[in-house]
Amino acid sequence: MKRNIVIAAVTAAALVGGGTATALATTGNDDRGAAPRTDVSASDVTVPDDGGVREDADDRDEDAARAASAKVTAAEAIAAALADTPGTAVSAELDDEDDDADDDDADDRRERTAWEVDVLSGAGTWHTVRVDPATGKVLGTERDDEDDTAEVRAALKGTSVDAAEAAGATAGHGTVTSVELDEDGLHGDGRPAWEVETHASGKGEQDWRVDPRTGKVTADRPHGSDDSEDSDDSHDSDDD
């Protein structure tokens, strides 16, 4: 009888007060005391940190979705950009942001996925050309200020493989989502190369290096690893 009264009192308190009810456990003997009281609050519940794994996976999914939706290849986007703004394409990236958009059209352009092609003109000025990945139409051009013009020109001197050709050389590995000139070379070894990123079903993101003189493609590996594996001679050349 005493146990029924206690349970009823707890239930009533929970219904009237709207607060956290405290569970009271009793033994089968009505004369024994209740078990120690246990309070559980939201602050006592912890969620394990995944180390950013979920966020990284979401980013990879978004990159893969952009790559799959692009009908215009990197090489085609570069060609369209150079037709609009003559010069040398130094990089091209499939991007979904336009941080420089005006306030009036930011909502329309900021979330629009587009190829962004950086072009160095003969006069030494830099331009960023945005190209529609669905139609190849130039969406806009903006002038940029860069301080590495001399380094880029030196890296491009004597090269025979341009950005579009580097993208084409790696297209067999998946959809090219970016190509960029690395003027400093791998780990600063002074040997320039085109850095290319591809996305392929079942393989995710892969990085490649393309020799700007021979067109040879090698997998971009961490320092000290064997670059001879997973390599692909995409261009036959006798240049050494």
Side-chain angles (χ1 to χ4, degrees):
M1 181 68 176
K2 184 185 298 182
R3 180 173 60 187
N4 293 337
I5 294 175
V6 171
I7 294 175
V10 171
T11 303
L15 293 175
V16 174
T20 301
T22 301
L24 299 179
T26 63
T27 64
N29 189 341
D30 293 343
D31 294 333
R32 294 183 181 181
R37 156 179 183 168
T38 304
D39 294 333
V40 179
S41 64
S43 61
D44 295 327
V45 180
T46 60
V47 178
D49 184 3
D50 64 0
V53 173
R54 181 177 300 176
E55 182 177 352
D56 290 343
D58 291 342
D59 290 341
R60 288 194 296 269
D61 290 342
E62 291 177 2
D63 290 342
R66 287 199 297 272
S69 64
K71 297 179 180 179
V72 175
T73 67
E76 292 169 341
I78 292 171
L82 293 179
D84 177 84
T85 307
T88 301
V90 179
S91 70
E93 180 181 9
L94 190 61
D95 194 11
D96 65 349
E97 294 180 350
D98 183 14
D99 295 334
D100 297 326
D102 296 331
D103 293 340
D104 293 339
D105 59 355
D107 292 339
D108 294 334
R109 294 176 57 195
R110 193 179 301 277
E111 297 301 327
R112 178 187 291 185
T113 299
W115 283 105
E116 287 193 350
V117 183
D118 289 334
V119 178
L120 174 60
S121 71
T125 57
W126 288 86
H127 302 270
T128 296
V129 185
R130 287 178 61 83
V131 179
D132 192 318
T135 65
K137 179 183 177 180
V138 173
L139 301 174
T141 303
E142 296 179 358
R143 181 169 176 172
D144 294 328
D145 294 324
E146 299 287 348
D147 57 5
D148 59 348
T149 302
E151 291 84 351
V152 169
R153 288 194 183 282
L156 291 172
K157 187 177 181 180
T159 63
S160 57
V161 177
D162 60 22
E165 291 170 332
T170 56
H173 297 287
T175 300
V176 176
T177 54
S178 72
V179 53
E180 181 178 7
L181 178 67
D182 176 15
E183 61 267 25
D184 296 325
L186 185 64
H187 309 296
D189 62 6
R191 300 175 60 184
W194 293 106
E195 293 182 330
V196 184
E197 179 182 292
T198 63
H199 282 263
S201 178
K203 295 183 178 180
E205 175 186 318
Q206 294 179 292
D207 296 319
W208 311 91
R209 295 182 68 81
V210 181
D211 191 307
R213 295 178 66 241
T214 66
K216 181 179 179 180
V217 178
T218 56
D220 192 357
R221 294 176 175 276
H223 183 56
S225 62
D226 183 5
D227 287 342
S228 63
E229 297 181 5
D230 297 331
S231 63
D232 175 28
D233 294 336
S234 299
H235 291 262
D236 293 330
S237 175
D238 295 331
D239 293 339
D240 294 322

